[in-house]
Amino acid sequence: MIGFVTNLLLLVFLVFILALVIRARRLFAVVVLAGAYSLVSAAMFVNLDAVDVAFTEAAVGAGISTVLFLAAMAYLPGQEKPAPDEGVINSTLLAALICVGAGILLIAAAIELPVIGDPNAPAHVHVAPRFIEESGSFLHIPNVVTTVLASYRGFDTLGETIVVYAAGLGVVILLSGHTRTARTIISSVKSVTTKTGRRPSASKTAKKVKSEKTFKPGKRGKNG
Amino acid sequence: MGENPILRVAAKILFAPIIVFGLYVQFHGDYGPGGGFQAGVIIAAAFILHSLIFGLAAGRKLVPAWLNFAMLAAGVLIYGGVGVAGMVLDGLFLDYNVLLADPSAGQHIGILGVEFGVGLTVTAVMLALFHAFAGFSEARFSHDGSAEDSSPDGKDA
């Protein structure tokens, strides 16, 4: 009962944070609120006895993501652009309709779900009993989550690790100026200026040229 | 942020305990909540804190780019290597039972090795992401903000 009430309170808090996120126009506030959202979700996971998930949510969602968002925010304007006036009512109405519809569908689906912790739930009668019994008695590893993650589902985790690796590599390659577009810009800049420079300075110039190319027409379009 | 003495001292004091906590989470994952993913993020947080307070150049001195990318690949290779080790020892891919004579001990070693690989890759990815984002903006702003010919070469690495 207490768990249910706590969850309800946390859920209300999540909705409150979401409302603040929707209202906020400053991106800094949005990023910090997103971190707070993750922290409240982590508290909710703790309440649901999913400590490992809560740990990950707190470390990744509330910790590193916030820092990375702040670092990435440097490329964005500080304020969200206000929506244009005409057609707002129609698009908002449509969005609200879709959201309410999807929400009703999700709630309808959730009613069918088994109660939390129900030992007879389909998910708990298939392979889970074997995992729980073996992990303690045979493998002597008390944390079943670790056994499932690293041993029983080791192949999944290998895939996850490769996804993390590929994602990190992709972002670094995109931002480091080694892409074909950046190289073309660098070579064009090099042919114009006599400055030879090492790669970092060349890529800097490339970024500047790129930003000028992309930003100037937009400004003109807005003014004219 | 590096000018504030409170932040500098706090960062210096916190740096080692954060890493120790990360290692605890890494190697205590068998017995409590935690594991490679969480530990990797926590250890990366220590280095990111260092970079935030003392500047990107200092952070890059601590973990050079080549080391960062080596860690990135080494984590996945360690994971795969544990799997292949099972195959070499007449088992299946990612079969830890054959790693040691005692299957239970083999599972322990296998899980530790795999989690270590995960932690290494996650740490390296988080660090690389942070340095890619933060370094990119620093380069852009220093170029846009300062005079054109002030040759900012060598400041970022």
Side-chain angles (χ1 to χ4, degrees):
Chain A
M1 187 63 206
I2 287 181
F4 179 74
V5 172
T6 321
N7 259 347
L8 208 65
L9 272 175
L10 289 172
L11 205 62
V12 170
F13 204 50
L14 278 187
V15 173
F16 176 65
I17 293 174
L18 262 186
L20 285 181
V21 167
I22 293 171
R23 299 279 306 165
R25 283 274 171 260
R26 283 183 62 216
L27 289 183
F28 184 77
V30 172
V31 168
V32 173
L33 283 171
Y37 186 91
S38 283
L39 208 58
V40 175
S41 322
M44 213 151 131
F45 291 143
V46 171
N47 202 25
L48 293 169
D49 287 337
V51 197
D52 280 84
V53 184
F55 201 165
T56 316
E57 183 67 42
V60 178
I64 290 281
S65 296
T66 312
V67 174
L68 288 181
F69 274 138
L70 285 178
M73 227 177 64
Y75 314 116
L76 302 172
Q79 293 250 335
E80 189 186 335
K81 215 167 83 180
D85 284 334
E86 67 265 21
V88 167
I89 311 274
N90 278 338
S91 64
T92 318
L93 212 70
L94 189 66
L97 222 67
I98 291 174
C99 285
V100 170
I104 288 173
L105 280 179
L106 283 175
I107 291 171
I111 289 172
E112 297 279 306
L113 284 178
V115 185
I116 294 168
D118 179 10
N120 294 321
H124 296 158
V125 293
H126 183 44
V127 284
R130 189 169 80 89
F131 291 168
I132 293 169
E133 274 168 30
E134 266 190 17
S135 183
S137 60
F138 169 59
L139 303 176
H140 304 293
I141 295 173
N143 188 0
V144 188
V145 177
T146 301
T147 345
V148 172
L149 183 122
S151 184
Y152 292 116
R153 300 208 181 282
F155 209 73
D156 285 3
T157 313
L158 176 64
E160 272 172 45
T161 315
I162 292 172
V163 165
V164 169
Y165 166 78
L169 212 60
V171 170
V172 170
I173 288 171
L174 277 177
L175 291 182
S176 69
H178 285 299
T179 53
R180 189 188 284 171
T181 327
R183 276 206 302 271
T184 346
I185 296 171
I186 289 170
S187 62
S188 70
V189 167
K190 267 184 185 167
S191 64
V192 171
T193 61
T194 51
K195 191 178 174 185
T196 45
R198 291 172 11 239
R199 190 196 54 75
S201 74
S203 67
K204 268 177 212 168
T205 332
K207 303 270 153 61
K208 208 201 163 197
V209 169
K210 214 177 183 177
S211 63
E212 276 177 4
K213 265 187 184 165
T214 46
F215 286 143
K216 266 191 180 165
K219 264 182 193 167
R220 266 186 215 136
K222 210 198 256 171
N223 291 340
Chain B
M1 269 195 272
E3 303 306 315
N4 192 326
I6 296 175
L7 289 179
R8 291 179 79 94
V9 172
K12 278 183 185 174
I13 292 174
L14 282 175
F15 186 72
I18 292 175
I19 290 182
V20 171
F21 180 60
L23 291 174
Y24 167 77
V25 170
Q26 169 85 54
F27 293 110
H28 204 258
D30 290 6
Y31 301 98
F37 286 99
Q38 294 94 329
V41 169
I42 290 169
I43 292 173
F47 288 99
I48 288 176
L49 176 72
H50 185 274
S51 291
L52 278 176
I53 304 294
F54 298 104
L56 276 181
R60 263 297 174 231
K61 210 183 276 176
L62 207 60
V63 184
W66 65 266
L67 182 65
N68 199 336
F69 291 122
M71 283 161 64
L72 196 69
V76 179
L77 283 178
I78 288 173
Y79 200 127
V82 173
V84 172
M87 288 170 78
V88 169
L89 295 168
D90 279 348
L92 299 167
F93 184 62
L94 287 173
D95 181 5
Y96 311 138
N97 285 346
V98 296
L99 289 180
L100 289 179
D102 179 18
S104 170
Q107 286 281 348
H108 268 275
I109 288 291
I111 289 175
L112 273 184
V114 157
E115 293 271 14
F116 181 68
V118 170
L120 207 59
T121 294
V122 171
T123 308
V125 164
M126 293 303 163
L127 268 180
L129 284 186
F130 176 74
H131 276 284
F133 279 122
F136 184 33
S137 69
E138 193 178 66
R140 211 180 88 181
F141 286 142
S142 72
H143 202 276
D144 285 356
S146 60
E148 284 290 326
D149 291 312
S150 61
S151 85
D153 286 23
K155 251 191 95 181
D156 68 326

